[in-house]
Amino acid sequence: MIAFKGEAMKKLLLVVLLLGVAGCATTVPPPASVSEDQKAVAPPPPPPPPPPPPSAVVPAERSASAPYGIIGNIGTGDTAHMVLAVDLAAAERDKLEEFRMDMHKVFMSHNVVFRETVSEAGLNIYLPGGDASVLDMLCTPGEGEARQFAVTPPAAPQGDYIVTLAPGYRGQFDKSVFDQTIQHLTRELDSFAAKAPVVKPVAPDHVAVDLPSYRDLDALRRLFGPVSVELRFVDDAAKPDPQHDVVLPEMGGGSLAVSRTAALSDLHIVWVRAGADPYMGTPEVKLTLDAKDAARLALFTRANDGKRVAIVQDGRIVFAPTIRGEIGSEIAIAMPEGANAEILRALGHETGPAPVTIVDLELTDGGGRKVSTLTR
């Protein structure tokens, strides 16, 4: 056995260490050279990744409770486009109704005997005594004011006087209502989209609305479409009959027992607005029904005068008035102080100075092409 000491030992360890490192090293061959011909036939770079798949098509099929379906692709950058018809004739009738209420108060204070009806021609007034001086006074404008109402005398003895909007005032009134409707729509829609809505006239009685980056057409239909309600008889008995009655919640709290089946269903409210009782000045909510439902309601209220009914919307009782005579297209409900806003929310919203009807409702892409629409 050979022993190493001192400097000899250090030299031996260094030699062993160097040999070990050399033995573990891997020899890497130099890269192969590429000829010019090989460069010419080199494969092209890999293609870019495919674009993401388009958004799924929303099927047109909807549940039976949804009267509309959304069809087409919904992509980014879409704009909800809507065209609304403004019912200026309804606003004119409402203006005549205000005159009629004022006329009632003045005629009563002057002990004028009269009979009045409302027709397509205007407000028809029969004065048995033939003295129209009070009526003329009502229609005469104040100093510096434009004449708002015109009176046509009877075409025959014992005929009716007909009150209408004065021809020179009608156009001014319609333009004012139309401008107010645009302002109201702009305020209503301002919270709907990230970008401000564009509301502009496209005809004397039509408004176009564009909501950039907004896609919920169903929400717009619910906001501006008619509100459907039903009437149920109220059972004021101490103990409701479980076979014929059902207890429904009231909007302001509490509950009422009402008939299990609707006495009158599918009544469509097309115009909701806050107002005041012309005699008492107390708050009220005014509702306008479409023409077909107004005829049904007139028959129903004529046959059920004095009965209490609940107006039900989505399973909730909005209010439960007592029928006082025949009611047609216009319903005025007296409300407790502060309750108007809640009623308006329950029935959708306050629809402004005139009723509006959706004529067109669709989505368009950034290039103005239609990508989706609401269809009946």
Side-chain angles (χ1 to χ4, degrees), residues 96 100 103 114-127 135 159-164:
L96 275 178
R100 188 177 76 88
M103 182 188 72
F114 70 99
R115 184 183 69 242
E116 49 87 13
T117 57
V118 178
S119 69
E120 290 295 325
L123 180 60
N124 296 15
I125 304 166
Y126 173 63
L127 299 169
L135 181 60
D160 292 343
Y161 292 86
I162 300 177
V163 178
T164 60

Side-chain angles (χ1 to χ4, degrees), residues 23-234:
C24 294
T26 303
T27 302
V28 179
S33 60
V34 180
S35 67
E36 292 299 323
D37 292 340
Q38 287 176 317
K39 290 181 181 178
V41 296
S55 56
V57 174
V58 180
E61 291 79 7
R62 306 280 284 182
S63 66
S65 62
Y68 294 83
I70 297 180
I71 58 176
N73 290 334
I74 298 178
T76 59
D78 295 335
T79 294
H81 176 76
M82 177 170 59
V83 176
L84 298 169
V86 183
D87 191 348
L88 298 175
E92 292 176 6
R93 290 192 297 270
D94 203 51
K95 183 69 175 178
L96 275 178
E97 178 66 15
E98 291 179 8
F99 174 86
R100 188 177 76 88
M101 292 292 100
D102 291 338
M103 182 188 72
H104 276 211
K105 291 185 287 186
V106 174
F107 277 10
M108 290 172 65
S109 66
H110 286 75
N111 297 317
V112 175
V113 178
F114 70 99
R115 184 183 69 242
E116 49 87 13
T117 57
V118 178
S119 69
E120 290 295 325
L123 180 60
N124 296 15
I125 304 166
Y126 173 63
L127 299 169
D131 183 4
S133 59
V134 177
L135 181 60
D136 289 335
M137 178 191 70
L138 275 169
C139 295
T140 302
E143 185 177 353
E145 296 179 352
R147 176 179 285 273
Q148 296 185 4
F149 301 98
V151 181
T152 303
Q158 304 301 311
D160 292 343
Y161 292 86
I162 300 177
V163 178
T164 60
L165 292 184
Y169 174 71
R170 186 191 301 271
Q172 174 187 340
F173 174 80
D174 287 351
K175 184 179 184 307
S176 175
V177 168
F178 190 68
D179 291 344
Q180 291 176 48
T181 300
I182 291 179
Q183 295 170 11
H184 178 84
L185 291 171
T186 303
R187 288 193 302 269
E188 283 281 310
L189 293 166
D190 197 44
S191 62
F192 261 64
K195 299 180 181 178
V198 179
V199 184
K200 59 185 178 181
V202 291
D205 58 352
H206 282 68
V207 178
V209 176
D210 286 313
L211 285 171
S213 304
Y214 187 80
R215 305 172 186 172
D216 194 347
L217 301 187
D218 239 0
L220 293 174
R221 178 192 60 78
R222 288 192 300 271
L223 183 65
F224 293 102
V227 177
S228 180
V229 298
E230 63 184 20
L231 302 185
R232 298 184 183 225
F233 289 116
V234 175

